Amino acid sequence: MILKKSLTLCIVPLVILTSMLNADELEAKIENLSLQNALELVKKDNLELKIAKFTEQMKAYEAKEAEGHRYGKLDVTLQAIRSNSAGNVFGFKLESREATFGDFGAEEFMNNMGAAQQGDMTAAGRMYSDPPENLNNPKARNHFQTKFSYMVPLYTGGKLTQYKNITNALHTMSKLDTSKLLNEKIFQTTKTFYDISLVDNYILNLGSIIDNINRLDEIVSNMREEGFAKEIDQLEVQARKAEAMSMLSQATFNRELAYQYLSFLMNSDVESIQNVSDMAPMPTVVKEEVQKINLDIRKAKLGLEITDMAVKLQESNFLPEVGAFGEYGSADDNLFNEFLDKDSYTIGVQAKWNLFNGGIDKNNLERAKVENMKVHEQVNLAKRGICLKVRKTMTEIKSENAEIKSLEAQLEFANRVYETYQAQYQEGISSISDVLIKQSKELEVLLKLLTVKNERNTKIFELNSIIDKGDEI
């Protein structure tokens, strides 16, 4: 029986409700909230939108990072070393511009040569056979080196340009994702406002029906006192009243759930709202405008641009890369000692060109081209799919408009029939069962009208999301 069906509007998914903050953790309650103010609060305070905004900012930094590779890299290195290794000590002295002939054993050589000239043949032999002591067994030496190194790409075949373009496009894509999420939150907020207004209207109508039942109960009670009604008649009326009260309780509970969901969307506790019309206005739809501003189509087009860049990026693997480097520094056995007197520099250019890598670059290029063709078809699919969805949604809205008009007429008729049967019951023409059946029909039409209005509003909000180009937050 239709009266035993529970009201299905405004039911919030449990997975969302379980993630909501407790009421005492929220800020002061908001009362008499308008839809416009609610949308502003959602843009400013919704937690999912804040997270999306952080993601968008990270994409912006990634784009700047890609741009930064074009300017090369400058490093400064400071080394502090102590060693008694013959090779290291001699190298330290060379870097410090302090190497002398004495390091090669010149003093020992001259001493032996002088002895040889005096007839000491043993000394003459040592001139060529004995290794120089200063060179092979030097004293330990400190070495402090400060070096500035700069490397910059001069030509990469377009790699860096395409990396920069792709990361910029991904940043734009993240903005579109944020706009799409914002559209979704606007849809959810607006729908919840209309749901609450519909339920309030339903509760108002249900209250009128309960008042009618109370009057009927009073009539039956008076007629029992005069002997014109039976106890079973009053029991039937009271049973119907209990059923109507149960529906009122269900509707009140659903309204409470809707307020909880609205509070979750705005990250603030909402106590009451300014009710809106129970029929959302129909938006104006222009096909050309939809294809131009729809977020899904714009994302698909941007994805196509990214795959174009990816093809160019793979083509750059067949071109040479040229880079330049430069080093400037100074070294001594004391830190920063005579820095400019002992400085040195090195500059150079390097070119690299891959000639063969087993066909990997060729296959990657072909794969990028195929991906580009696939995304091209996805753009066409997105355009046709969105247009189909718009036409289908508009047709469904027109159908529901006609059904709402019919149900409103049925509701008015059912109410008049009920009043007629109630009068006939008082005159003894109709039974209490006939009266309650007519009232059941009135409730059935009322509930169906509410359901169809909710479905119509939902489709209108979906249509608004499709044709909305997205707002900045």
Side-chain angles (χ1 to χ4, degrees), residues 224-238:
R224 279 187 64 193
E225 291 177 1
E226 298 175 4
F228 294 109
K230 301 177 182 179
E231 181 183 4
I232 189 66
D233 292 345
Q234 193 158 25
L235 290 176
E236 285 188 43
V237 174
Q238 291 173 351

Side-chain angles (χ1 to χ4, degrees), residues 297 379-391 466:
I297 294 177
V379 172
N380 293 333
L381 177 62
K383 290 180 179 179
R384 297 181 65 86
I386 292 298
C387 289
L388 175 62
K389 187 174 182 180
V390 167
R391 289 196 296 267
I466 293 173

Side-chain angles (χ1 to χ4, degrees), residues 375-409:
V375 175
H376 187 275
E377 296 305 320
Q378 287 176 337
V379 172
N380 293 333
L381 177 62
K383 290 180 179 179
R384 297 181 65 86
I386 292 298
C387 289
L388 175 62
K389 187 174 182 180
V390 167
R391 289 196 296 267
K392 178 176 178 291
T393 304
M394 292 180 66
T395 302
E396 291 172 342
I397 292 172
K398 291 177 182 177
S399 173
E400 285 163 352
N401 283 339
E403 187 175 2
I404 288 171
K405 188 175 181 180
S406 172
L407 287 171
E408 287 175 339

Side-chain angles (χ1 to χ4, degrees), residues 157-159 162 307-317 365:
K159 276 190 179 67
Q162 296 310 319
T307 58
D308 288 337
M309 299 171 195
V311 171
K312 294 177 182 178
L313 179 63
Q314 294 301 327
E315 289 174 344
S316 68
N317 290 326
L365 175 60

Side-chain angles (χ1 to χ4, degrees), residues 90 93-94 97-110 131-136:
F90 185 69
K93 288 186 176 183
L94 282 177
R97 304 187 186 278
E98 293 181 358
T100 65
F101 287 111
D103 294 320
F104 292 94
E107 183 179 357
E108 299 171 47
F109 180 83
M110 294 302 294
E133 182 68 18
N134 289 344
L135 183 63
N136 290 318

Side-chain angles (χ1 to χ4, degrees), residues 140 143 168 175 188 218 237 330:
H143 185 68
N168 284 332
K175 288 183 176 180
Q188 293 169 354
E218 185 178 348
V237 174
S330 181

Side-chain angles (χ1 to χ4, degrees), residues 111-125:
N111 290 336
N112 288 329
M113 185 174 67
Q117 289 176 348
Q118 295 176 4
D120 187 346
M121 300 309 296
T122 304

Side-chain angles (χ1 to χ4, degrees), residues 186-392:
I186 290 174
F187 163 80
Q188 293 169 354
T189 303
T190 308
K191 181 179 183 304
T192 305
F193 254 75
Y194 276 83
D195 285 346
I196 292 173
S197 299
L198 275 173
V199 173
D200 283 342
N201 188 39
Y202 174 74
I203 290 174
L204 182 64
N205 282 275
L206 200 55
S208 299
I209 291 174
I210 292 174
D211 289 341
N212 291 337
I213 296 175
N214 288 332
R215 283 195 293 271
L216 181 60
D217 186 35
E218 185 178 348
I219 292 170
V220 173
S221 179
N222 293 334
M223 292 179 67
R224 279 187 64 193
E225 291 177 1
E226 298 175 4
F228 294 109
K230 301 177 182 179
E231 181 183 4
I232 189 66
D233 292 345
Q234 193 158 25
L235 290 176
E236 285 188 43
V237 174
Q238 291 173 351
R240 179 54 47 82
K241 179 180 178 180
E243 194 170 6
M245 292 300 296
S246 175
M247 295 176 67
L248 180 62
S249 175
Q250 180 77 36
T252 304
F253 175 71
N254 287 333
R255 180 173 62 181
E256 181 182 346
L257 285 178
Y259 270 111
Q260 291 176 2
Y261 185 49
L262 190 61
S263 299
F264 167 74
L265 288 172
M266 295 186 297
N267 198 27
S268 300
D269 195 6
V270 181
E271 179 71 17
S272 61
I273 66 168
Q274 296 177 12
N275 281 353
V276 294
S277 168
D278 58 358
M279 295 279 285
M282 182 75 173
T284 302
V285 179
V286 180
K287 178 182 176 182
E288 292 74 15
E289 285 297 312
V290 171
Q291 292 190 347
K292 181 179 179 181
I293 67 178
N294 176 262
L295 287 170
D296 288 323
I297 294 177
R298 288 164 63 190
K299 286 179 64 177
K301 288 180 177 178
L302 183 58
L304 180 60
E305 293 177 14
I306 291 174
T307 58
D308 288 337
M309 299 171 195
V311 171
K312 294 177 182 178
L313 179 63
Q314 294 301 327
E315 289 174 344
S316 68
N317 290 326
F318 296 90
L319 299 173
E321 296 181 8
V322 181
F325 67 91
E327 289 184 352
Y328 173 74
S330 181
D332 194 64
D333 57 349
N334 291 305
L335 185 62
F336 302 132
N337 184 46
E338 299 177 335
F339 191 93
L340 296 178
D341 293 332
K342 299 180 178 181
D343 64 347
S344 62
Y345 71 87
T346 304
I347 57 174
V349 176
Q350 175 179 289
K352 183 176 69 172
W353 195 347
N354 176 259
L355 300 179
F356 178 73
N357 66 350
I360 294 176
D361 290 339
K362 181 177 182 299
N363 290 325
N364 287 339
L365 175 60
E366 294 304 319
R367 184 179 63 179
K369 288 180 178 179
V370 172
E371 180 69 19
N372 179 257
M373 290 187 288
K374 184 184 84 170
V375 175
H376 187 275
E377 296 305 320
Q378 287 176 337
V379 172
N380 293 333
L381 177 62
K383 290 180 179 179
R384 297 181 65 86
I386 292 298
C387 289
L388 175 62
K389 187 174 182 180
V390 167
R391 289 196 296 267
K392 178 176 178 291

